[in-house]
Amino acid sequence: MNKENNGSTPSFTSKIGLVMAAVGSAVGLGNIWKFPYVTGENGGGAFLLVYLACVFLFGLPLLMTEFIVGKHSRKSVYGAFQSIRKNRRWQWLSWSCLIATVLVMSFYFMVTGWCLSYLVDAIAGTISSTEDLSAHFANLSINTSRVLFFCSITVFITALVLWFDVNKGIERLSKILMPLLLVMMFIMAVKVLMLPNSNIGMRFFFETDFSKITPQVILSAMGQCFFSLSIGFGALVTYGAYMPERQNILATSAQVVVLDTLVAVLAGVIVFPAVFAFGLDPAEGPQLVFVVLPSVFEQMSMSRFSSVLFFSLLCIAAITSIISLMEIVIAFISDLGARIKHPINRHKAVVITIAICLISSTLCVMSVCGTPDWLKIAGHDLFECFDAVTSYFLLPLNAFGMALFIGWFVPKQVIEKELHVRPRSLNSTAVSTFRLVIRYLVPIAIAAIFLKEFV
Ligand code: PHE
């Protein structure tokens, strides 16, 4: 991202730059850390099937929706809906996106802190498969000062990136590092598939037992799909506002969906065969990859180097996602400032966002570490609560709102204008199909899944 001539609005100068940033936002801990454990908890193959159906049904149209809203309004998620509709009736959606972002940020920093801690352990050579890896993770997750230390380092690194506006550097770096992450994951998958009993894991991940598809599984798959594709936060509205005029929204969205899903499925192909080969439980929960991966590295040549490389790439994938989460808040605050006639420049907005991140992530870390114990809600720590509220409620609500907004309240000409990008212009059938899907299919499906589970 770099500055446009007016010096205040960041923009992407190249189409590939925007694709890289959007992929950087989507591919993160959601694919490598969250997808395997949510799949493990929800029955393996059955969950995978529903997840892929959600990606197909909701992923592409909702990504396109967010990009259209951002590109047409050229505003942050605070001002976008209002500027298109010229009234404030959709302001609730802006605030709901902001709340989802802040809640997710609080635990995203914590988990990135865990990854950094594992990276340091990998460099020092202090994790090995001979020790009890569950105990290693358990000790880390209750070590308040260590997690807070690494969490603050993450905040500090991202603050530097945003302060000096070196996103361009990050874009360039991700062009090399994201393919490297993919190659590394392919190699790990091949190694894992050679382990004894790996076929049991493959069957767990790919074989669908239809009796395991319950309303709860469908709701989890939908939430995971939104989380992983960064839908329902306004991240892609924000990036859409920085999109070059001639960017092809359909192609960009399709690239994000394909790459994000590929990384998630690869993570499953690495984790589940290893889980069964090492006699672990696929429903271990959030600690799953931290317990499984160190044993996988032991099987690889240059195990220490491999684990350092992998955890470095994971931290970078997490940081590119955090940058887009923070960008939502920074752009929101700047637009809000302009609206209340209290201009807030980018640096001030960065400082306010960092303060929000530090406070929310500290609360989350303290709650998970168990001190003080009043930082829990009905016996659940803040991570569990924030994760559940966003995945099961806020993200589906925001996606539902966006589908209604673009399907029913945005003139057809706007969609036609934003989707007809030369030289590969879409014909009008494609535009009509998109409108049909986003007007009826998406909102009805989200409402049905939600009501089936809760009513
Ligand atoms: N999609 C990211 C992931 O899978 C999470 C994220 C959500 C990042 C929203 C930015 C905005 O890890």
Side-chain angles (χ1 to χ4, degrees), residues 69-381:
V69 170
K71 180 160 174 273
H72 191 74
S73 64
R74 298 282 174 201
K75 289 267 186 312
S76 76
V77 76
Y78 175 78
F81 308 108
Q82 187 178 332
S83 117
I84 294 178
R85 280 301 291 169
K86 311 273 181 270
N87 65 42
R88 296 174 54 76
R89 240 175 260 147
W90 289 87
Q91 208 59 39
W92 66 269
L93 189 50
S94 310
W95 288 99
S96 182
C97 286
L98 182 75
I99 295 171
T101 304
V102 173
L103 294 185
V104 164
M105 250 176 3
S106 63
F107 66 82
Y108 215 95
F109 275 106
M110 177 184 74
V111 182
T112 310
W114 293 346
C115 296
L116 266 184
S117 165
Y118 266 73
L119 172 61
V120 170
D121 287 344
I123 295 172
T126 50
I127 350 173
S128 82
S129 63
T130 48
E131 74 171 316
D132 181 351
L133 289 166
S134 294
H136 188 102
F137 179 83
N139 287 338
L140 169 66
S141 66
I142 53 164
N143 189 339
T144 319
S145 50
R146 188 175 168 96
V147 181
L148 275 182
F149 173 73
F150 284 110
C151 198
S152 318
I153 291 193
T154 315
V155 177
F156 186 68
I157 296 172
T158 35
L160 280 183
V161 171
L162 290 162
W163 187 268
F164 291 108
D165 210 11
V166 289
N167 283 351
K168 190 116 186 98
I170 293 276
E171 265 171 57
R172 282 208 203 103
L173 208 66
S174 354
K175 267 187 228 168
I176 309 166
L177 295 176
M178 288 295 126
L180 190 61
L181 178 68
L182 264 182
V183 172
M184 173 102 196
M185 289 180 77
F186 268 114
I187 299 174
M188 287 167 75
V190 171
K191 288 277 171 197
V192 162
L193 291 178
M194 288 180 329
L195 292 172
N197 290 335
S198 65
N199 57 335
I200 307 179
M202 288 300 270
R203 255 187 274 132
F204 174 80
F205 188 41
F206 285 110
E207 252 176 38
T208 312
D209 174 355
F210 286 93
S211 66
K212 286 191 183 152
I213 303 183
T214 59
Q216 162 63 32
V217 166
I218 301 176
L219 185 65
S220 299
M222 181 170 76
Q224 173 62 23
C225 160
F226 293 157
F227 183 92
S228 187
L229 289 170
S230 311
I231 290 171
F233 298 85
L236 304 157
V237 172
T238 311
Y239 279 180
Y242 310 148
M243 219 177 216
E245 198 48 50
R246 297 173 65 81
Q247 184 117 12
N248 183 333
I249 288 184
L250 174 64
T252 306
S253 311
Q255 280 158 333
V256 175
V257 169
V258 169
L259 279 170
D260 188 75
T261 310
L262 180 67
V263 176
V265 172
L266 256 182
V269 169
I270 295 169
V271 169
F272 292 113
V275 162
F276 287 91
F278 302 125
L280 300 166
D281 176 10
E284 290 253 0
Q287 58 167 331
L288 185 65
V289 292
F290 293 102
V291 175
V292 172
L293 292 181
S295 313
V296 175
F297 296 125
E298 292 283 308
Q299 307 294 319
M300 301 177 64
S301 47
M302 302 189 295
S303 65
R304 187 144 154 203
F305 173 76
S306 308
S307 62
V308 171
L309 183 64
F310 181 82
F311 280 114
S312 315
L313 294 172
L314 183 57
C315 289
I316 289 165
I319 285 171
T320 54
S321 294
I322 290 182
I323 286 171
S324 84
L325 279 165
M326 290 177 83
E327 188 63 39
I328 303 170
V329 185
I330 294 168
F332 191 104
I333 293 174
S334 309
D335 261 11
L336 179 66
R339 151 118 206 133
I340 57 173
K341 311 250 171 339
H342 209 292
I344 300 176
N345 67 25
R346 190 170 166 89
H347 278 173
K348 258 196 222 156
V350 171
V351 173
I352 299 173
T353 308
I354 290 168
I356 297 173
C357 295
L358 275 175
I359 296 170
S360 63
S361 57
T362 303
L363 288 175
C364 191
V365 169
M366 288 171 64
S367 171
V368 171
C369 292
T371 44
D373 56 27
W374 51 262
L375 256 179
K376 295 211 185 313
I377 301 171
H380 295 283
D381 60 47

Side-chain angles (χ1 to χ4, degrees), residues 1-3 11-18 168 171 242 244:
M1 211 183 297
N2 69 357
K3 303 266 181 183
S11 74
F12 292 93
T13 39
S14 67
K15 296 180 192 169
I16 182 75
L18 189 119
K168 190 116 186 98
E171 265 171 57
Y242 310 148

